[in-house]
Amino acid sequence: MRALAVCQDELVIRTLEHVLMPGFEVEFLVESRPLARRLGEAGIPVTTGDPRRVDTYLKADLSPTTPVIVEDNGRRSVKRILSAVSDAGATLIYVLRVGGPKTGKGATELGERFSDVTELELGELVGPALKTELSRSLTRSRVQQYQHYFADADRVLILLHNDPDPDALASGLALRSLLRRTKTTAIIGAMQGVTRPENLRMANLLDIQVEQVTPESLATFERIATVDVQPHYFPGLLDHVDLVVDHHPEQPGYSARFKDIRADYGSTCTILTEHLRAVDWNISERTATAMLYAIKSDTLFFARHTNRVDLEAFTFLYPLADPALIRKMEGAEITMERLEYVRRASTTGTLETQVFCAFLGDVPREDLITYAADFFLQLEDVKWTILAGTVNDTLIVSVRNLGYSRNAGEFVKRWFAEIGSAGGHRSMAKAVVPMSRFRERYGDLTDEAIFARIRGMADEFLHETGNDKKKEAVTR
């Protein structure tokens, strides 16, 4: 499509040429012959003429459907140019503000006289692209630095959280690719291995081997990176690591040579997608499939804690992935074992004021608690789910909500951060507390009493007033 741009500034001309090509065949109209000569030598279509004369546009074979962009740098009035363009028959006229938005009497008169003219800001056109490119350049530099730092290490550990989920598994696979490593030179490891059925299915189908590591074995690795988790998750074990990539809120208590933590992202794989794109990495179908499934899983297919960049990453990865394999991985969501704990929660739990709360007692694995929390959030009239249970004498509290009310992460931090590990996002959070610490704080309670205590915590947190929160902040 042909367009005519009336510009006198070389930087603006080159910027527009870059932004509009190849979607538009843009011809530039300038007054300066030396400028026209320079642009012509650079291969930019240009003609010279007086932009205030009607015949200039008639000679340019201007039609009513030809978009005309008129630069307004604020130094000279553009009224005569707009009049000439209009008299030549143009109907698609755009004024491009270069020196910032025009205000005052001049802007009012221009709007009244040329009501059909559309006004644009150059900053609005190039700003997002410039920010994206600058961000990508910074990411590229960061990735190249940690690639170089890891390059000479013989043994590398990519450490995941306990019972790794799809985001952790896929992030480990992506980072290993970025580090130019194989499964023998960079171990993807966890203190406790994969147990959830769909995660086991993913690991098996994509051949992601997660090796069990021990606190004693950490010293045998020359470089350690954590993905989808931060070192505070392993209290007393990792005061320093070499790289952290995570989308959870940043936590204190450790040092890292390199880290990229973006709590506003819905998935760690979204961050690593940007790392891969920044260095123009060749992403294999296997890695793309794992990352696409992880983003879909961690955001509940963009239903919770989703950022625009998550959608961009998903869109980028989709043509590179195997959708049939993703459908196969999703087939392990419901099991008889999970249904048993859903039944137990339904029997023992209560639904009051749109909050479903239940204590499951002794549970063999954490995922059964989180699955029940996700399951009951789907029920009508449920806006919060708080499910708890004990796994190997450790209290696990899983919290879910619809994301537009109080913060789930604040809830678990309020009640459990001082006696265990607690954190998360607005719509999902988890607390992990040794039962010995829980008993020290609240007493040796029965299952019914633990349920009543957690139910009371929820009621107090969700129904406190603004004044209550101010008083608590003062006392702290």
Side-chain angles (χ1 to χ4, degrees):
M1 184 177 183
R2 182 172 179 260
L4 179 67
V6 184
C7 301
Q8 311 307 321
D9 186 287
E10 184 171 355
L11 178 59
V12 174
I13 291 171
R14 291 182 180 273
T15 300
L16 281 180
E17 194 265 344
H18 178 74
V19 169
L20 296 177
M21 299 288 279
F24 289 85
E25 297 177 6
V26 187
E27 182 179 351
F28 292 91
L29 174 63
V30 302
E31 290 185 271
S32 168
R33 292 188 180 277
L35 175 58
R37 186 165 52 252
R38 287 197 305 273
L39 296 173
E41 291 173 353
I44 298 175
V46 62
T47 186
T48 57
D50 186 346
R52 291 167 292 276
R53 294 175 57 90
V54 177
D55 61 348
T56 299
Y57 301 102
L58 296 177
K59 290 178 182 178
D61 194 25
L62 194 68
S63 75
T65 58
T66 303
V68 180
I69 302 170
V70 179
E71 174 194 351
D72 181 9
N73 58 21
R75 294 191 294 270
R76 298 175 61 183
S77 173
V78 296
K79 292 178 184 177
R80 289 181 59 190
I81 297 176
L82 295 176
S83 295
V85 172
S86 297
D87 292 344
T91 59
L92 302 176
I93 307 174
Y94 302 85
V95 172
L96 182 64
R97 305 277 190 205
V98 176
K102 181 175 285 190
T103 60
K105 183 179 178 182
T108 303
E109 292 177 353
L110 191 65
E112 292 175 349
R113 184 171 177 183
F114 304 99
S115 58
D116 293 336
V117 171
T118 301
E119 298 187 50
L120 305 171
E121 297 290 339
L122 181 63
E124 293 177 355
L125 297 180
V126 303
L130 181 60
K131 288 179 181 178
T132 298
E133 185 55 39
L134 287 175
S135 176
R136 184 164 293 181
S137 297
L138 290 171
T139 299
R140 182 184 305 116
S141 174
R142 181 183 297 153
V143 172
Q144 289 171 342
Q145 287 176 21
Y146 74 65
Q147 283 178 323
H148 179 73
Y149 181 73
F150 276 76
D152 60 352
D154 290 330
R155 283 176 56 80
V156 171
L157 171 63
I158 301 173
L159 185 61
L160 317 181
H161 54 73
N162 295 338
D163 201 3
D165 62 1
D167 197 27
L169 294 169
S171 295
L173 194 64
L175 181 59
R176 188 163 66 189
S177 174
L178 272 169
L179 295 178
R180 305 182 183 92
R181 297 272 172 165
T182 66
K183 59 185 178 184
T184 57
T185 60
I187 294 171
I188 298 176
M191 299 286 184
Q192 298 176 22
V194 184
T195 61
R196 298 180 67 164
E198 69 272 22
N199 299 344
L200 282 169
R201 193 178 182 89
M202 173 188 180
N204 291 332
L205 288 172
L206 294 173
D207 190 26
I208 304 175
Q209 298 179 14
V210 179
E211 298 191 21
Q212 187 168 2
V213 296
T214 63
E216 295 74 22
S217 67
L218 296 177
T220 66
F221 295 96
E222 295 179 54
R223 302 282 188 271
I224 297 178
T226 66
V227 291
D228 201 39
V229 69
Q230 295 171 49
H232 80 287
Y233 181 86
F234 311 96
L237 296 180
L238 289 173
D239 295 330
H240 174 81
V241 295
D242 300 290
L243 172 64
V244 177
V245 184
D246 189 25
H247 76 114
H248 299 96
E250 187 166 1
Q251 301 294 328
Y254 70 92
S255 63
R257 189 175 186 90
F258 303 98
K259 62 182 175 181
D260 193 349
I261 299 172
R262 310 186 194 187
D264 56 332
Y265 283 33
S267 165
T268 300
C269 275
T270 298
I271 303 173
L272 283 162
T273 299
E274 294 190 358
H275 287 203
L276 291 161
R277 296 183 70 180
V279 293
D280 297 320
W281 205 254
N282 182 24
I283 307 175
S284 68
E285 182 181 74
R286 173 188 175 216
T287 301
T289 300
M291 297 179 78
L292 189 75
Y293 177 63
I295 294 172
K296 184 177 179 181
S297 173
D298 236 37
T299 64
L300 286 182
F301 211 173
F302 308 108
R304 74 180 177 199
H305 193 72
T306 304
N307 192 305
R308 171 186 54 82
V309 291
D310 297 303
L311 184 58
E312 290 178 356
F314 186 91
T315 303
F316 173 78
L317 293 168
Y318 187 83
L320 306 176
D322 183 347
L325 195 54
I326 290 177
R327 288 193 296 271
K328 193 168 185 178
M329 288 189 286
E330 291 173 332
E333 185 68 21
I334 301 175
T335 66
M336 290 298 295
E337 184 183 31
R338 286 180 168 179
L339 288 178
E340 167 58 25
Y341 285 91
V342 168
R343 183 201 64 78
R344 184 185 295 186
S346 178
T347 302
T348 62
T350 60
L351 173 59
E352 297 176 11
T353 60
Q354 299 182 311
V355 179
F356 181 83
C357 187
F359 182 72
L360 301 178
D362 289 333
V363 180
R365 301 190 314 275
E366 285 186 23
D367 70 280
L368 299 170
I369 301 170
T370 56
Y371 180 83
D374 286 331
F375 179 90
F376 282 97
L377 191 61
Q378 301 175 69
L379 297 187
E380 187 176 1
D381 294 328
V382 173
K383 292 185 177 180
W384 277 72
T385 59
I386 303 173
L387 275 289
T390 54
V391 180
N392 297 326
D393 208 32
T394 299
L395 179 69
I396 308 295
V397 183
S398 185
V399 184
R400 300 287 187 268
N401 66 43
L402 297 181
Y404 54 80
S405 56
R406 296 290 304 277
N407 190 302
E410 291 179 0
F411 170 76
V412 295
K413 288 178 182 177
R414 163 84 66 84
W415 299 112
F416 303 108
E418 293 183 359
I419 57 175
S421 173
H425 300 289
R426 171 172 290 276
S427 61
M428 58 186 299
K430 183 174 72 170
V432 179
V433 181
M435 283 302 297
S436 59
R437 299 290 303 280
F438 184 83
R439 294 186 187 102
E440 287 176 8
R441 173 67 63 89
Y442 298 109
D444 191 7
L445 306 179
T446 63
D447 286 0
E448 292 77 10
I450 293 175
F451 167 73
R453 171 67 69 174
I454 294 175
R455 177 87 236 185
M457 294 172 177
D459 291 340
E460 181 176 339
F461 178 80
L462 294 173
H463 298 108
E464 66 184 1
T465 64
N467 289 333
D468 293 333
K469 286 183 270 186
K470 290 179 182 178
K471 289 178 182 177
E472 182 188 4
V474 170
T475 57
R476 288 185 177 182

